[in-house]
Amino acid sequence: GQFQVRRVFRDAAATFDISNITPRVVTPNGDGKNDVMLMIFDNPRRAPVSGKVYDLRGAYVATMTPGLAADSLQWDGKMNGKPVTSGVYIYQVEGDGKVFNGTVVVAR
């Protein structure tokens, strides 16, 4: 299998690393493969963390929910319970006084 060796400097604030987001392409079709984007982060102070997803026009799409793992958020590629259209979406995560942005692709 494949593995990564990473060195992380852990400070007192929440930190986010783009390599801790899997998968980068979400296919919300219910087949159990790449149906959910999962973001894992380091949060040593246990600060509240929230995430939202927007389309490229900046319109609100969904709120990220807590993942199964501690210190994680997830998005199932859906808006109001229905899969979104294919395209690029922007996520914005706020925690410990910081804001982190990035993109995720939804493919059909």
Side-chain angles (χ1 to χ4, degrees):
Q2 296 181 349
F3 62 93
Q4 285 184 9
V5 176
R6 294 186 295 156
R7 188 172 116 189
V8 177
F9 173 74
R10 188 173 177 158
D11 64 8
T15 57
F16 297 86
D17 182 350
I18 196 166
S19 66
N20 287 336
I21 301 170
T22 57
R24 301 296 300 166
V25 178
V26 178
T27 57
N29 57 11
D31 68 355
K33 298 177 185 173
N34 300 326
D35 288 333
V36 176
M37 175 190 80
L38 178 66
M39 172 185 290
I40 299 172
F41 48 88
D42 192 24
N43 187 6
R45 288 198 275 188
R46 302 286 178 235
V49 177
S50 64
K52 294 188 179 191
V53 179
Y54 301 91
D55 66 17
L56 288 178
R57 296 173 301 160
Y60 169 81
V61 173
T63 297
M64 297 175 76
T65 59
L68 297 177
D71 294 331
S72 67
L73 291 172
Q74 65 183 21
W75 177 52
D76 61 2
K78 295 179 181 177
M79 176 180 178
N80 297 324
K82 296 181 182 178
V84 297
T85 59
S86 297
V88 177
Y89 292 82
I90 301 164
Y91 61 83
Q92 184 174 62
V93 177
E94 295 183 45
D96 209 16
K98 297 179 182 179
V99 177
F100 302 91
N101 298 299
T103 58
V104 61
V105 175
V106 174
R108 306 280 253 156

